Amino acid sequence: MRGSVHSSPMAGEVRPLPRAFYERPTEVAAFELIGKILVLKQERVVLSGRIVETEAYLGADDPASHAWRGPTPRNRVMFGPAGFSYVYFTYGVHHCFNVVTEREGVPGAVLIRALEPLSGIGLMRERRGGGRKDETLTNGPAKLTQAFHITRAHSGCDLTREPFFIGEENSFVSRNGGASILTIRVSPRVGISRAKDKLFRYYDASSLCVSAHPKG
DNA sequence: CCGCGGATCTTCT
DNA sequence: GAAGATCCGCGGA
């Protein structure tokens, strides 16, 4: 790892966020997830990355959301309790990973769009194809699922416990002497055809791992 | 740097 | 039957 990504704690120092963290308005959860750490422990390797970009997808009032027209076999987990994963397959090629929000019965999810790789980087590079820079391993919603091998088999997982969870750095471990500042910016969501005006995308303004901005 | 098209399959109309 | 919460490689400026 070079200076291109933050030095950071290993996954053993990361504790899962409680379910209450996700039982909030989806936009709030999306905002609050910036800077948290995604961890997936598999076959002797701990994959982890710092979340630097998210998008909120709501329910009946959000035509860009899978939950817009009500529950279907695919999206039903979005209507369930918060803190569970929702993974879907799209374009015949890609998987996208979300975290369910809101109380049970109210649909909502946060799309995890980009990470800064923290651990398991060698395995990520193998899976993404050699010769890539660290900052291009997980800087897109389908890139990070490829690096982590997240598929529909990972949909419906409880993300408040091992081995697949989102956590927070142990506060005893300080970054930059505890002086780091997080600036979160807001923008329209990427790659949608409806509700383009909603400012439901959140990202770390200083991260090199945010997915490519659309023109403008 | 920018724009374009192909890949490839699930889901819902 | 069409669109899709995407990515990559190619060709041109």
Side-chain angles (χ1 to χ4, degrees), chain A residues 105 156 208:
Chain A
L208 298 174

Side-chain angles (χ1 to χ4, degrees), chain A residues 61-63 186-189 192 195-201:
Chain A
D61 293 327
D62 183 7
V186 181
S187 84
R189 292 172 290 187
I192 56 171
K196 291 180 174 175
D197 55 314
K198 299 287 188 188
L199 301 178
F200 285 164
R201 174 173 177 252

